[in-house]
Amino acid sequence: MSKIISGFSKFTKEQKINWLTENYFKNKAETANIIKQYWNTDADLQELHDDFIENTISNFYMPFGVAPNFVINNKTYTIPMVVEESSVVAAASLVGKFWSTRGGFKTTVLGTTKIGQVHFMYAGNKNELENYFNLNKTELLAATASITKNMEKRGGGILDIKLVDKTAKLENYYQLHVTFETKDSMGANFINSCLEAIAKQFEKEDIEIVMSILSNYVPECVVRAEVSCKIEELGGENPQKFAEKFYQAVKIAEVEPYRAVTHNKGIMNGIDAVVLATGNDFRAVEAGAHSYASKSGEYSSLSHCDISNGIFKFWIELPLALGTVGGLTALHPMAKLSLEMLQKPSARTLMQIMAAAGLAQNFAALRALTTKGIQHGHMKMHLQNILNQFEATDKEKEIITAYFDKRTVTHSAVVEKINSLRKPKVNWVQFLDENSIRTQLLKLNKASKPLFGLMNAQQMIEHLSLLMQISNGKINADHYVSDEKSARRKPFLDTEGELQIGFRASILSDEPTPEKFETIEKALNNLIAEIKNFEVHFKTEKVENHPFFGELDYEYWKKFHTKHFTHHFKQFGLV
């Protein structure tokens, strides 16, 4: 199939998926299954979601969490949050509870005016344009009567229309600057419809309308949220020092744009999560907030702090153009649930709730940054994401979470710990269990082939017996091993590590030793005898020399033989 396609929007959902998998994915069946597994089993509900946008093929899930214990203007809220970033909800919850015992959040709406503009070009006399505007202003308002009728019943509508001269910045450029009150509606469709009606009424031969569109910069639709308490009530070992560092952190964000961008991004972590949960437009909110942060001509912090007179005060002012009726808020079941959770707020109240969430998120980030560092808490939360990525079991999560309780969390460290837990446990051979050893080795015969190495089955048995004889003091293996080498090598016997393929003490020959006994059975009987002698020998002897590890006592010889037997049992596939 071609990757350039016509009429794609007319395809059924199945046809769209087929076209995508054919053109962009290697495993077509698996891709289609992943896409479809996120469909809602309720066909009507899925159809509702399909109709939100165009060319829908599936749903993209985001976690829906809640942050309880927010006291805002003496009213308690549990705030819904939709966000994929770990630690956001946890931080908001902790801060909500922290300030709930210190007076809570105090919020005020400073304005709810929204803005739209008709952009046009006019090359004529400015005075004539002004006269034309003034004469027709009433007609411009009248042109929107059918649109504004219902909004005016709710106390909203068009507040004013102004003619603005922008020719100093762009030749022949003017605009009609229109201000609106949209009450509980975000009002995008309402504003744009009014603007288009105004533009149509205003346009004439020498006025060229370029476009009519709302602005997401709403510096008169602003909310303020604040927390405050005595510095001594902040808690911790040194609340005064904490307050001073916190204050400096905010001041840095006020004067340093590089820091301010990240600072404000943290604020928007909290706000965007509530915007998404309530079905509002997070892109519009983001654009408005960041432009407001630049209103002085330089990008700066949206939050501010004061610690004078022994009082810690932390506040935020930012524009939030929101709605609680219409649009997705009225269609998406989870958005409706979120608004009900928030006790069915007006748009003004929702502005205050979101501002509190943003301030809480900022407080949490600055508290972490100025004390333990941002990664301490963030990586603890990120730990769960890593564990989920590797499909850790509940038991693995319990072990690994406890392991990192007082350790630094890094991706590589977590992966290493997961791998260590999942590393197959060695099935060590219990060489002192004579019956088990005999049963296993009787499975071998002259035709048995090794999985590695050159020894045949009988040579392997006789080799095990040789090392048993060395430990039993029957063969002199006084090959000198310095104390330094022994100290370096012996700790290996205390580990779970196995003898590597090819391991060989230097006194042993490269080639297998010729068979000593006539049959495997006789060689096996000799080995069993040496195993019995091992226990007897160390009742009187303290140590025997190993040609590689040096002097070993009974316990270390046991560890060696366990590894040695296991190594050679694996050689012939017995374990």
Side-chain angles (χ1 to χ4, degrees):
M1 288 187 183
S2 171
K3 291 188 179 181
I4 303 297
I5 187 169
S6 298
F8 183 74
S9 63
K10 294 182 175 61
F11 281 9
T12 65
K13 191 155 64 171
E14 286 283 356
Q15 288 172 327
K16 288 169 184 166
I17 292 170
N18 290 340
W19 181 83
L20 279 172
T21 55
E22 285 288 336
N23 280 280
Y24 293 98
F25 298 94
K26 292 179 181 178
N27 193 326
K28 302 175 183 62
E30 181 183 357
T31 300
N33 285 336
I34 291 172
I35 290 170
K36 292 177 181 178
Q37 75 183 9
Y38 286 94
W39 289 2
N40 200 294
T41 54
D42 184 327
D44 291 337
L45 187 56
Q46 182 57 53
E47 186 177 357
L48 174 68
H49 284 75
D50 287 348
D51 290 341
F52 287 160
I53 61 169
E54 308 75 33
N55 295 336
T56 306
I57 61 170
S58 192
N59 306 310
F60 189 95
Y61 289 0
M62 294 271 281
F64 182 102
V66 295
N69 301 318
F70 269 78
V71 177
I72 304 171
N73 295 338
N74 300 317
K75 189 173 181 178
T76 304
Y77 292 90
T78 293
I79 299 180
M81 306 182 85
V82 174
V83 62
E84 88 297 344
E85 185 174 333
S86 57
S87 80
V88 170
V89 178
S93 300
L94 286 171
V95 173
K97 188 172 184 180
F98 178 87
W99 284 107
S100 70
T101 60
R102 293 165 175 82
F105 295 82
K106 303 302 180 186
T107 60
T108 308
V109 173
L110 304 180
T112 57
T113 300
K114 294 166 187 173
I115 294 164
Q117 295 167 321
V118 177
H119 305 271
F120 66 94
M121 311 304 286
Y122 175 74
N125 182 279
K126 180 182 176 182
N127 290 333
E128 290 181 7
L129 178 64
E130 289 176 341
N131 289 334
Y132 174 72
F133 169 73
N134 291 327
L135 286 171
N136 285 277
K137 185 173 180 179
T138 303
E139 295 301 318
L140 297 180
L141 292 169
T144 67
S146 62
I147 304 169
T148 59
K149 180 173 59 175
N150 288 334
M151 184 65 76
E152 288 171 353
K153 288 179 181 177
R154 300 199 300 269
I158 297 174
L159 302 177
D160 195 12
I161 306 176
K162 293 179 181 178
L163 175 66
V164 180
D165 182 354
K166 305 290 285 188
T167 57
K169 293 189 175 182
L170 180 63
E171 188 178 7
N172 300 331
Y173 170 41
Y174 293 85
Q175 62 180 228
L176 297 180
H177 188 87
V178 189
T179 49
F180 297 85
E181 170 58 63
T182 62
K183 304 308 285 184
D184 288 338
S185 167
M186 192 277 172
N189 290 331
F190 168 75
I191 292 172
N192 288 334
S193 295
C194 288
L195 293 172
E196 289 180 1
I198 290 169
K200 187 176 180 181
Q201 180 67 32
F202 189 68
E203 189 173 25
K204 65 188 183 79
E205 187 176 336
D206 55 352
I207 293 177
E208 181 186 3
I209 303 297
V210 178
M211 57 185 167
S212 307
I213 187 70
L214 65 78
S215 173
N216 291 126
Y217 181 44
V218 283
E220 295 174 15
C221 185
V222 176
V223 61
R224 176 188 172 102
E226 178 184 308
V227 288
S228 64
C229 68
K230 293 179 180 178
I231 289 176
E232 63 198 50
E233 293 173 353
L234 288 170
E237 294 180 3
N238 190 336
Q240 181 64 40
K241 182 64 176 175
F242 165 73
E244 290 170 1
K245 285 186 70 177
F246 191 102
Y247 171 80
Q248 291 297 340
V250 176
K251 287 299 176 185
I252 289 169
E254 288 179 351
V255 301
E256 172 50 64
Y258 282 94
R259 170 59 198 143
V261 171
T262 310
H263 178 94
N264 290 343
K265 184 268 182 185
I267 291 170
M268 301 314 292
N269 278 347
I271 291 174
D272 284 350
V274 191
V275 172
L276 278 168
T278 56
N280 275 278
D281 187 347
F282 75 92
R283 297 160 301 277
V285 168
E286 281 272 351
H290 292 299
S291 57
Y292 191 77
S294 304
K295 66 182 187 296
S296 67
E298 183 173 273
Y299 192 91
S300 183
S301 171
L302 288 167
S303 62
H304 308 280
C305 183
D306 182 80
I307 55 171
S308 58
N309 302 317
I311 301 296
F312 175 88
K313 185 188 294 184
F314 183 48
W315 73 94
I316 188 172
E317 285 185 14
L318 81 165
L320 289 173
L322 306 171
T324 57
V325 297
L328 202 63
T329 59
L331 288 175
H332 200 300
M334 292 301 289
K336 290 192 284 187
L337 185 148
S338 294
L339 291 172
E340 185 174 353
M341 187 188 306
L342 292 172
Q343 303 165 60
K344 298 182 178 180
S346 64
R348 292 174 65 92
T349 302
L350 186 59
M351 289 170 69
Q352 296 171 78
I353 292 169
M354 286 191 192
L359 189 65
Q361 200 65 39
N362 196 212
F363 180 86
L366 292 174
R367 181 169 63 175
L369 283 167
T370 55
T371 53
K372 295 180 179 180
I374 198 70
Q375 290 302 90
H376 177 79
H378 183 76
M379 291 308 291
K380 292 289 184 183
M381 295 298 298
H382 187 51
L383 171 62
Q384 299 307 312
N385 286 344
I386 301 172
L387 294 176
N388 290 332
Q389 178 187 346
F390 284 86
E391 298 180 347
T393 64
D394 289 343
K395 185 62 177 176
E396 287 173 334
K397 287 181 179 180
E398 181 182 344
I399 293 170
I400 294 171
T401 300
Y403 177 80
F404 283 103
D405 183 48
K406 289 183 172 59
R407 292 177 171 87
T408 300
V409 177
T410 67
H411 189 277
S412 58
V414 176
V415 172
E416 184 179 345
K417 185 62 179 175
I418 291 172
N419 290 337
S420 71
L421 289 179
R422 293 178 176 178
K423 185 178 180 181
K425 300 298 181 185
V426 180
N427 186 16
W428 296 111
V429 173
Q430 303 301 313
F431 77 98
L432 291 175
D433 185 343
E434 299 167 22
N435 291 332
S436 175
I437 296 297
R438 184 182 294 277
T439 300
Q440 287 290 84
L441 291 177
L442 281 175
K443 295 176 182 177
L444 303 178
N445 55 51
K446 289 282 187 183
S448 299
K449 300 291 184 183
L451 300 177
F452 56 86
L454 301 176
M455 289 188 288
N456 63 34
Q458 184 171 328
Q459 289 170 329
M460 181 271 287
I461 293 171
E462 292 182 6
H463 172 72
L464 289 175
S465 184
L466 171 70
L467 270 296
M468 290 298 307
Q469 290 174 65
I470 292 174
S471 67
N472 294 346
K474 293 185 177 181
I475 293 179
N476 186 358
D478 288 334
H479 178 76
Y480 177 69
V481 179
S482 68
D483 290 343
E484 180 187 354
K485 287 183 178 179
S486 179
R488 193 168 64 246
R489 294 170 179 175
K490 268 176 65 175
F492 168 74
L493 298 176
D494 290 318
T495 72
E496 289 292 302
E498 298 181 69
L499 295 177
Q500 298 299 305
I501 294 173
F503 170 80
R504 178 180 56 81
S506 59
I507 66 167
L508 298 176
S509 171
D510 289 337
E511 297 297 321
T513 303
E515 296 164 354
K516 177 180 177 182
F517 295 94
E518 296 175 359
T519 64
I520 283 183
E521 288 76 13
K522 288 183 179 179
L524 177 55
N525 287 336
N526 177 257
L527 174 62
I528 297 301
E530 293 301 336
I531 291 172
K532 290 178 179 178
N533 287 337
F534 176 76
E535 294 279 82
V536 174
H537 179 70
F538 276 99
K539 285 182 179 178
T540 56
E541 296 298 324
K542 298 294 184 184
V543 297
E544 290 290 350
N545 193 63
H546 187 284
F548 181 80
F549 292 103
E551 287 191 342
L552 302 180
D553 62 13
Y554 170 73
E555 290 299 330
Y556 271 106
W557 268 110
K558 270 178 62 177
K559 292 175 182 179
F560 168 76
H561 284 312
T562 297
K563 291 181 184 292
H564 194 227
F565 271 71
T566 301
H567 175 77
H568 287 292
F569 272 46
K570 283 192 171 185
Q571 183 182 17
F572 282 86
L574 298 176
V575 291

